[in-house]
Short mmCIF file of all heavy atoms in Angstrom, two decimals:
data_model
loop_
_atom_site.label_atom_id
_atom_site.label_comp_id
_atom_site.label_asym_id
_atom_site.label_seq_id
_atom_site.Cartn_x
_atom_site.Cartn_y
_atom_site.Cartn_z
N MET A 1 40.73 -71.74 -9.23
CA MET A 1 41.52 -72.51 -10.15
C MET A 1 41.79 -73.85 -9.59
O MET A 1 41.77 -74.19 -8.39
CB MET A 1 42.75 -71.76 -10.43
CG MET A 1 43.89 -72.07 -9.42
SD MET A 1 45.42 -71.26 -9.71
CE MET A 1 46.27 -71.80 -8.20
N TYR A 2 42.07 -74.85 -10.58
CA TYR A 2 42.36 -76.17 -10.09
C TYR A 2 43.78 -76.22 -9.69
O TYR A 2 44.69 -75.71 -10.38
CB TYR A 2 42.10 -77.20 -11.22
CG TYR A 2 40.70 -77.57 -11.41
CD1 TYR A 2 40.01 -77.24 -12.64
CD2 TYR A 2 39.96 -78.13 -10.43
CE1 TYR A 2 38.72 -77.59 -12.86
CE2 TYR A 2 38.64 -78.46 -10.65
CZ TYR A 2 38.02 -78.17 -11.80
OH TYR A 2 36.72 -78.46 -12.02
N VAL A 3 44.05 -76.84 -8.59
CA VAL A 3 45.44 -77.18 -8.05
C VAL A 3 45.73 -78.58 -8.54
O VAL A 3 46.77 -78.82 -9.16
CB VAL A 3 45.46 -77.11 -6.59
CG1 VAL A 3 46.87 -77.51 -6.04
CG2 VAL A 3 45.24 -75.60 -6.14
N CYS A 4 44.82 -79.51 -8.33
CA CYS A 4 45.08 -80.90 -8.79
C CYS A 4 43.99 -81.21 -9.92
O CYS A 4 42.81 -81.34 -9.65
CB CYS A 4 44.82 -81.77 -7.61
SG CYS A 4 45.09 -83.57 -8.03
N ILE A 5 44.60 -81.20 -11.13
CA ILE A 5 43.77 -81.47 -12.28
C ILE A 5 43.26 -82.90 -12.37
O ILE A 5 42.17 -83.19 -12.65
CB ILE A 5 44.52 -81.10 -13.58
CG1 ILE A 5 44.82 -79.60 -13.55
CG2 ILE A 5 43.71 -81.47 -14.74
CD1 ILE A 5 45.82 -79.12 -14.62
N CYS A 6 44.13 -83.78 -11.98
CA CYS A 6 43.83 -85.22 -12.00
C CYS A 6 42.54 -85.51 -11.17
O CYS A 6 41.75 -86.27 -11.56
CB CYS A 6 44.96 -86.07 -11.54
SG CYS A 6 46.36 -85.98 -12.61
N ASN A 7 42.46 -84.90 -10.05
CA ASN A 7 41.41 -85.19 -9.03
C ASN A 7 40.41 -84.07 -9.00
O ASN A 7 39.47 -84.05 -8.14
CB ASN A 7 41.94 -85.56 -7.70
CG ASN A 7 42.85 -86.78 -7.75
OD1 ASN A 7 42.33 -87.81 -8.14
ND2 ASN A 7 44.05 -86.63 -7.35
N ARG A 8 40.58 -83.09 -9.88
CA ARG A 8 39.66 -81.92 -9.98
C ARG A 8 39.42 -81.26 -8.55
O ARG A 8 38.36 -81.14 -8.07
CB ARG A 8 38.30 -82.31 -10.56
CG ARG A 8 38.36 -82.70 -11.94
CD ARG A 8 36.97 -83.00 -12.46
NE ARG A 8 37.13 -83.59 -13.78
CZ ARG A 8 36.09 -84.30 -14.28
NH1 ARG A 8 35.03 -84.54 -13.75
NH2 ARG A 8 36.25 -84.73 -15.55
N VAL A 9 40.58 -80.93 -8.00
CA VAL A 9 40.50 -80.26 -6.66
C VAL A 9 40.96 -78.79 -6.86
O VAL A 9 42.02 -78.47 -7.32
CB VAL A 9 41.38 -80.92 -5.62
CG1 VAL A 9 41.32 -80.32 -4.29
CG2 VAL A 9 41.16 -82.37 -5.59
N SER A 10 40.13 -77.84 -6.37
CA SER A 10 40.40 -76.40 -6.61
C SER A 10 41.11 -75.85 -5.36
O SER A 10 41.09 -76.45 -4.28
CB SER A 10 39.14 -75.65 -6.82
OG SER A 10 38.34 -75.66 -5.62
N ASP A 11 41.70 -74.70 -5.58
CA ASP A 11 42.27 -74.01 -4.37
C ASP A 11 41.31 -73.74 -3.32
O ASP A 11 41.58 -73.71 -2.16
CB ASP A 11 43.08 -72.77 -4.84
CG ASP A 11 42.23 -71.74 -5.58
OD1 ASP A 11 41.12 -72.19 -6.09
OD2 ASP A 11 42.62 -70.58 -5.59
N ARG A 12 40.05 -73.43 -3.75
CA ARG A 12 38.95 -73.10 -2.81
C ARG A 12 38.68 -74.28 -1.88
O ARG A 12 38.48 -74.15 -0.67
CB ARG A 12 37.69 -72.76 -3.63
CG ARG A 12 37.18 -71.44 -3.37
CD ARG A 12 35.85 -71.19 -4.02
NE ARG A 12 35.95 -69.97 -4.85
CZ ARG A 12 35.01 -69.53 -5.53
NH1 ARG A 12 33.88 -70.14 -5.56
NH2 ARG A 12 35.17 -68.48 -6.20
N GLU A 13 38.72 -75.44 -2.48
CA GLU A 13 38.44 -76.64 -1.70
C GLU A 13 39.55 -76.95 -0.69
O GLU A 13 39.35 -77.34 0.40
CB GLU A 13 38.31 -77.84 -2.61
CG GLU A 13 36.97 -77.90 -3.47
CD GLU A 13 36.98 -78.98 -4.44
OE1 GLU A 13 37.52 -78.73 -5.57
OE2 GLU A 13 36.38 -80.04 -4.15
N ILE A 14 40.79 -76.71 -1.14
CA ILE A 14 41.89 -76.84 -0.24
C ILE A 14 41.84 -75.84 0.92
O ILE A 14 42.08 -76.22 2.02
CB ILE A 14 43.26 -76.73 -1.05
CG1 ILE A 14 43.36 -77.93 -2.00
CG2 ILE A 14 44.45 -76.76 -0.14
CD1 ILE A 14 44.49 -77.82 -3.03
N LYS A 15 41.55 -74.66 0.54
CA LYS A 15 41.55 -73.61 1.57
C LYS A 15 40.39 -73.99 2.58
O LYS A 15 40.59 -73.76 3.78
CB LYS A 15 41.25 -72.27 0.93
CG LYS A 15 42.47 -71.65 0.22
CD LYS A 15 42.12 -70.36 -0.44
CE LYS A 15 43.28 -69.84 -1.19
NZ LYS A 15 42.95 -68.58 -1.92
N ALA A 16 39.31 -74.46 2.09
CA ALA A 16 38.18 -74.82 2.97
C ALA A 16 38.72 -75.94 3.95
O ALA A 16 38.33 -75.92 5.10
CB ALA A 16 36.99 -75.26 2.15
N SER A 17 39.37 -76.91 3.39
CA SER A 17 39.88 -78.03 4.25
C SER A 17 40.85 -77.50 5.33
O SER A 17 40.79 -77.94 6.46
CB SER A 17 40.64 -78.98 3.46
OG SER A 17 39.76 -79.65 2.58
N ILE A 18 41.70 -76.58 4.96
CA ILE A 18 42.57 -75.96 5.94
C ILE A 18 41.84 -75.18 6.99
O ILE A 18 42.10 -75.29 8.19
CB ILE A 18 43.65 -75.03 5.22
CG1 ILE A 18 44.48 -75.98 4.26
CG2 ILE A 18 44.50 -74.36 6.29
CD1 ILE A 18 45.23 -75.18 3.23
N GLN A 19 40.79 -74.47 6.56
CA GLN A 19 40.00 -73.75 7.61
C GLN A 19 39.27 -74.78 8.48
O GLN A 19 39.03 -74.39 9.67
CB GLN A 19 38.86 -72.88 6.82
CG GLN A 19 39.43 -71.74 6.16
CD GLN A 19 40.15 -70.75 7.02
OE1 GLN A 19 39.63 -70.49 8.15
NE2 GLN A 19 41.25 -70.16 6.66
N GLU A 20 38.98 -75.89 7.99
CA GLU A 20 38.28 -76.91 8.83
C GLU A 20 39.38 -77.75 9.67
O GLU A 20 38.94 -78.67 10.38
CB GLU A 20 37.47 -77.81 8.00
CG GLU A 20 36.30 -77.15 7.40
CD GLU A 20 35.60 -77.92 6.28
OE1 GLU A 20 35.96 -79.09 6.01
OE2 GLU A 20 34.84 -77.24 5.60
N GLY A 21 40.67 -77.44 9.56
CA GLY A 21 41.60 -78.03 10.43
C GLY A 21 42.76 -78.84 9.80
O GLY A 21 43.60 -79.40 10.57
N ALA A 22 42.72 -79.02 8.44
CA ALA A 22 43.86 -79.74 7.98
C ALA A 22 45.13 -78.96 8.04
O ALA A 22 45.16 -77.75 7.80
CB ALA A 22 43.52 -80.03 6.34
N THR A 23 46.18 -79.63 8.45
CA THR A 23 47.51 -78.92 8.60
C THR A 23 48.58 -79.55 7.87
O THR A 23 49.72 -79.10 7.86
CB THR A 23 47.87 -78.81 10.07
OG1 THR A 23 47.86 -80.14 10.63
CG2 THR A 23 46.96 -77.92 10.80
N THR A 24 48.32 -80.76 7.25
CA THR A 24 49.43 -81.50 6.54
C THR A 24 48.95 -81.92 5.21
O THR A 24 47.80 -82.05 4.89
CB THR A 24 49.87 -82.77 7.31
OG1 THR A 24 48.69 -83.60 7.35
CG2 THR A 24 50.27 -82.41 8.72
N MET A 25 49.94 -82.16 4.31
CA MET A 25 49.72 -82.75 3.03
C MET A 25 49.02 -84.16 3.09
O MET A 25 48.19 -84.43 2.32
CB MET A 25 50.94 -82.92 2.24
CG MET A 25 51.57 -81.61 1.65
SD MET A 25 50.44 -80.80 0.51
CE MET A 25 50.66 -81.96 -0.86
N ARG A 26 49.38 -84.85 4.17
CA ARG A 26 48.71 -86.15 4.30
C ARG A 26 47.21 -86.00 4.54
O ARG A 26 46.45 -86.80 3.98
CB ARG A 26 49.36 -86.85 5.51
CG ARG A 26 48.83 -88.25 5.80
CD ARG A 26 49.54 -88.89 6.99
NE ARG A 26 50.91 -89.22 6.72
CZ ARG A 26 51.39 -90.38 6.75
NH1 ARG A 26 50.71 -91.40 7.06
NH2 ARG A 26 52.75 -90.58 6.42
N GLU A 27 46.78 -84.94 5.26
CA GLU A 27 45.40 -84.78 5.53
C GLU A 27 44.71 -84.32 4.24
O GLU A 27 43.63 -84.75 3.98
CB GLU A 27 45.25 -83.69 6.59
CG GLU A 27 45.54 -84.22 8.01
CD GLU A 27 45.57 -83.20 9.05
OE1 GLU A 27 46.42 -82.30 8.92
OE2 GLU A 27 44.75 -83.20 9.92
N LEU A 28 45.38 -83.58 3.42
CA LEU A 28 44.74 -83.07 2.19
C LEU A 28 44.72 -84.30 1.28
O LEU A 28 43.74 -84.44 0.44
CB LEU A 28 45.65 -82.03 1.59
CG LEU A 28 45.69 -80.66 2.24
CD1 LEU A 28 46.56 -79.67 1.57
CD2 LEU A 28 44.25 -80.10 2.48
N TYR A 29 45.70 -85.24 1.31
CA TYR A 29 45.57 -86.43 0.49
C TYR A 29 44.46 -87.22 0.88
O TYR A 29 43.71 -87.80 -0.08
CB TYR A 29 46.98 -87.20 0.68
CG TYR A 29 46.93 -88.51 -0.08
CD1 TYR A 29 47.23 -88.58 -1.47
CD2 TYR A 29 46.64 -89.67 0.69
CE1 TYR A 29 47.26 -89.84 -2.01
CE2 TYR A 29 46.63 -90.88 0.00
CZ TYR A 29 46.91 -90.96 -1.34
OH TYR A 29 46.92 -92.18 -2.03
N LYS A 30 44.28 -87.48 2.19
CA LYS A 30 43.15 -88.29 2.72
C LYS A 30 41.82 -87.71 2.21
O LYS A 30 40.97 -88.48 1.86
CB LYS A 30 43.24 -88.38 4.23
CG LYS A 30 44.17 -89.43 4.71
CD LYS A 30 43.98 -89.54 6.22
CE LYS A 30 45.11 -90.33 6.82
NZ LYS A 30 45.09 -90.22 8.28
N GLU A 31 41.75 -86.42 2.22
CA GLU A 31 40.46 -85.79 1.94
C GLU A 31 40.15 -85.69 0.45
O GLU A 31 39.04 -85.83 0.01
CB GLU A 31 40.44 -84.44 2.64
CG GLU A 31 39.06 -83.92 2.78
CD GLU A 31 38.98 -82.69 3.68
OE1 GLU A 31 39.91 -82.61 4.64
OE2 GLU A 31 38.09 -81.81 3.54
N HIS A 32 41.16 -85.32 -0.30
CA HIS A 32 40.96 -85.06 -1.69
C HIS A 32 41.82 -85.90 -2.72
O HIS A 32 41.72 -85.76 -3.91
CB HIS A 32 41.42 -83.54 -1.99
CG HIS A 32 40.67 -82.57 -1.17
ND1 HIS A 32 39.30 -82.23 -1.38
CD2 HIS A 32 41.08 -81.84 -0.14
CE1 HIS A 32 38.98 -81.36 -0.52
NE2 HIS A 32 40.02 -81.03 0.21
N SER A 33 42.61 -86.79 -2.15
CA SER A 33 43.49 -87.67 -3.02
C SER A 33 44.49 -86.83 -3.80
O SER A 33 44.97 -87.10 -4.89
CB SER A 33 42.71 -88.50 -3.94
OG SER A 33 41.81 -89.37 -3.25
N ILE A 34 44.90 -85.64 -3.23
CA ILE A 34 45.88 -84.79 -3.89
C ILE A 34 47.17 -85.51 -4.08
O ILE A 34 47.68 -86.16 -3.16
CB ILE A 34 45.99 -83.51 -3.05
CG1 ILE A 34 44.87 -82.58 -3.38
CG2 ILE A 34 47.36 -82.80 -3.36
CD1 ILE A 34 45.02 -81.16 -2.75
N GLY A 35 47.65 -85.44 -5.31
CA GLY A 35 49.02 -86.06 -5.62
C GLY A 35 48.87 -87.62 -5.78
O GLY A 35 49.95 -88.17 -5.98
N SER A 36 47.78 -88.14 -5.87
CA SER A 36 47.60 -89.59 -5.96
C SER A 36 47.88 -90.13 -7.36
O SER A 36 47.97 -91.30 -7.48
CB SER A 36 46.22 -90.04 -5.44
OG SER A 36 45.26 -89.45 -6.27
N GLN A 37 47.88 -89.24 -8.35
CA GLN A 37 48.06 -89.72 -9.69
C GLN A 37 49.42 -89.28 -10.31
O GLN A 37 50.33 -89.90 -10.12
CB GLN A 37 46.85 -89.33 -10.58
CG GLN A 37 45.57 -90.08 -10.03
CD GLN A 37 44.45 -89.92 -10.93
OE1 GLN A 37 44.54 -90.18 -12.09
NE2 GLN A 37 43.28 -89.51 -10.30
N CYS A 38 49.42 -88.13 -10.96
CA CYS A 38 50.67 -87.74 -11.62
C CYS A 38 51.62 -87.11 -10.58
O CYS A 38 52.86 -87.05 -10.81
CB CYS A 38 50.40 -86.75 -12.81
SG CYS A 38 49.95 -85.09 -12.18
N GLY A 39 51.05 -86.46 -9.56
CA GLY A 39 51.92 -85.88 -8.49
C GLY A 39 52.44 -84.48 -8.80
O GLY A 39 53.14 -83.80 -8.02
N LYS A 40 52.04 -83.93 -9.96
CA LYS A 40 52.51 -82.59 -10.35
C LYS A 40 51.99 -81.44 -9.46
O LYS A 40 52.50 -80.39 -9.58
CB LYS A 40 52.17 -82.34 -11.77
CG LYS A 40 53.06 -83.15 -12.78
CD LYS A 40 52.70 -82.78 -14.20
CE LYS A 40 53.62 -83.66 -15.10
NZ LYS A 40 53.17 -83.57 -16.46
N CYS A 41 50.87 -81.79 -8.80
CA CYS A 41 50.23 -80.72 -7.92
C CYS A 41 50.86 -80.64 -6.51
O CYS A 41 50.53 -79.61 -5.84
CB CYS A 41 48.80 -81.01 -7.79
SG CYS A 41 48.54 -82.69 -7.14
N CYS A 42 51.75 -81.54 -6.23
CA CYS A 42 52.22 -81.61 -4.82
C CYS A 42 52.86 -80.32 -4.37
O CYS A 42 52.64 -79.80 -3.28
CB CYS A 42 53.12 -82.74 -4.61
SG CYS A 42 52.24 -84.34 -4.67
N GLN A 43 53.73 -79.82 -5.18
CA GLN A 43 54.48 -78.55 -4.81
C GLN A 43 53.55 -77.42 -4.63
O GLN A 43 53.72 -76.64 -3.71
CB GLN A 43 55.54 -78.19 -5.91
CG GLN A 43 56.93 -78.80 -5.54
CD GLN A 43 57.93 -78.20 -6.41
OE1 GLN A 43 57.80 -77.82 -7.57
NE2 GLN A 43 59.11 -77.96 -5.83
N CYS A 44 52.62 -77.21 -5.60
CA CYS A 44 51.64 -76.08 -5.59
C CYS A 44 50.82 -76.23 -4.39
O CYS A 44 50.49 -75.27 -3.61
CB CYS A 44 50.87 -76.10 -6.88
SG CYS A 44 49.70 -74.85 -6.93
N ALA A 45 50.36 -77.49 -4.06
CA ALA A 45 49.43 -77.67 -2.95
C ALA A 45 50.16 -77.40 -1.61
O ALA A 45 49.58 -76.87 -0.69
CB ALA A 45 48.96 -79.12 -2.91
N LYS A 46 51.45 -77.78 -1.55
CA LYS A 46 52.22 -77.62 -0.34
C LYS A 46 52.42 -76.05 -0.15
O LYS A 46 52.36 -75.60 1.00
CB LYS A 46 53.57 -78.32 -0.51
CG LYS A 46 54.52 -78.20 0.57
CD LYS A 46 54.34 -79.26 1.63
CE LYS A 46 55.26 -79.11 2.85
NZ LYS A 46 54.72 -79.17 4.09
N LYS A 47 52.69 -75.38 -1.24
CA LYS A 47 52.93 -73.95 -1.07
C LYS A 47 51.53 -73.22 -0.61
O LYS A 47 51.60 -72.39 0.29
CB LYS A 47 53.30 -73.41 -2.50
CG LYS A 47 54.01 -72.07 -2.46
CD LYS A 47 54.36 -71.54 -3.87
CE LYS A 47 55.76 -72.06 -4.22
NZ LYS A 47 56.17 -71.51 -5.58
N LEU A 48 50.49 -73.71 -1.21
CA LEU A 48 49.14 -73.19 -0.78
C LEU A 48 48.88 -73.53 0.68
O LEU A 48 48.47 -72.63 1.48
CB LEU A 48 48.07 -73.77 -1.65
CG LEU A 48 46.65 -73.27 -1.45
CD1 LEU A 48 46.47 -71.83 -1.63
CD2 LEU A 48 45.73 -74.10 -2.36
N LEU A 49 49.13 -74.68 1.15
CA LEU A 49 49.01 -75.09 2.47
C LEU A 49 49.85 -74.22 3.38
O LEU A 49 49.32 -73.69 4.40
CB LEU A 49 49.40 -76.62 2.61
CG LEU A 49 49.45 -77.19 4.04
CD1 LEU A 49 48.00 -77.20 4.62
CD2 LEU A 49 49.99 -78.57 4.11
N ASN A 50 51.13 -74.06 3.16
CA ASN A 50 51.98 -73.27 3.96
C ASN A 50 51.53 -71.80 4.04
O ASN A 50 51.50 -71.21 5.14
CB ASN A 50 53.41 -73.26 3.42
CG ASN A 50 54.05 -74.58 3.64
OD1 ASN A 50 53.60 -75.37 4.58
ND2 ASN A 50 55.05 -74.99 3.01
N ASN A 51 51.13 -71.19 2.92
CA ASN A 51 50.65 -69.85 2.89
C ASN A 51 49.34 -69.69 3.77
O ASN A 51 49.19 -68.70 4.54
CB ASN A 51 50.31 -69.41 1.45
CG ASN A 51 51.59 -69.08 0.73
OD1 ASN A 51 52.64 -68.84 1.39
ND2 ASN A 51 51.55 -69.04 -0.58
N GLU A 52 48.52 -70.66 3.62
CA GLU A 52 47.20 -70.59 4.38
C GLU A 52 47.42 -70.77 5.89
O GLU A 52 46.78 -70.15 6.72
CB GLU A 52 46.20 -71.62 3.95
CG GLU A 52 45.69 -71.40 2.51
CD GLU A 52 44.94 -69.96 2.35
OE1 GLU A 52 44.03 -69.78 3.22
OE2 GLU A 52 45.29 -69.15 1.53
N LEU A 53 48.36 -71.67 6.19
CA LEU A 53 48.62 -71.95 7.63
C LEU A 53 49.22 -70.63 8.34
O LEU A 53 49.02 -70.40 9.49
CB LEU A 53 49.60 -73.09 7.81
CG LEU A 53 48.99 -74.52 7.55
CD1 LEU A 53 50.05 -75.57 7.66
CD2 LEU A 53 47.82 -74.76 8.43
N LEU A 54 49.97 -69.85 7.57
CA LEU A 54 50.53 -68.59 8.02
C LEU A 54 49.44 -67.59 8.44
O LEU A 54 49.62 -66.75 9.25
CB LEU A 54 51.51 -68.03 7.05
CG LEU A 54 52.82 -68.70 6.84
CD1 LEU A 54 53.66 -68.08 5.72
CD2 LEU A 54 53.66 -68.73 8.14
N LYS A 55 48.36 -67.69 7.69
CA LYS A 55 47.23 -66.75 7.99
C LYS A 55 46.43 -67.08 9.15
O LYS A 55 45.66 -66.29 9.72
CB LYS A 55 46.30 -66.70 6.82
CG LYS A 55 46.94 -66.21 5.48
CD LYS A 55 45.88 -66.23 4.33
CE LYS A 55 46.49 -65.92 3.09
NZ LYS A 55 45.53 -66.18 1.93
N ILE A 56 46.50 -68.27 9.64
CA ILE A 56 45.72 -68.76 10.76
C ILE A 56 46.24 -68.40 12.11
O ILE A 56 47.46 -68.38 12.27
CB ILE A 56 45.46 -70.33 10.75
CG1 ILE A 56 44.70 -70.73 9.48
CG2 ILE A 56 44.77 -70.81 12.02
CD1 ILE A 56 44.62 -72.20 9.28
FE1 FES B 101 47.33 -83.87 -8.80
FE2 FES B 101 47.94 -85.02 -11.02
S1 FES B 101 47.47 -83.00 -10.75
S2 FES B 101 47.82 -85.89 -9.03
#
């Protein structure tokens, strides 16, 4: 499913980035421009980031 509709970024892509070492929203922003437009995805992306980091 898409987390960031504006930039067409899926949860799969975000999870892959975290597996490759991303640990902050800033890193996800740099890689995918998450939150760069409407910003509505930020909370969802942050939640996903925190959940994935707990699994590592
Ligand atoms: Fe991510 Fe709009 S949904 S910036």
Side-chain angles (χ1 to χ4, degrees):
M1 87 179 172
Y2 282 117
V3 172
C4 180
I5 296 166
C6 296
N7 296 303
R8 294 187 187 156
V9 184
S10 69
D11 59 338
R12 240 185 235 185
E13 290 171 276
I14 293 173
K15 286 177 185 176
S17 294
I18 296 166
Q19 288 299 319
E20 289 165 14
T23 56
T24 63
M25 284 296 288
R26 184 179 290 242
E27 288 171 294
L28 293 180
Y29 174 83
K30 276 188 194 167
E31 201 168 331
H32 302 286
S33 299
I34 280 187
S36 63
Q37 296 190 49
C38 74
K40 288 182 180 170
C41 57
C42 291
Q43 267 194 324
C44 181
K46 179 90 178 130
K47 204 179 269 186
L48 182 60
L49 175 65
N50 288 339
N51 285 342
E52 290 302 308
L53 288 176
L54 286 175
K55 294 179 188 173
I56 296 174

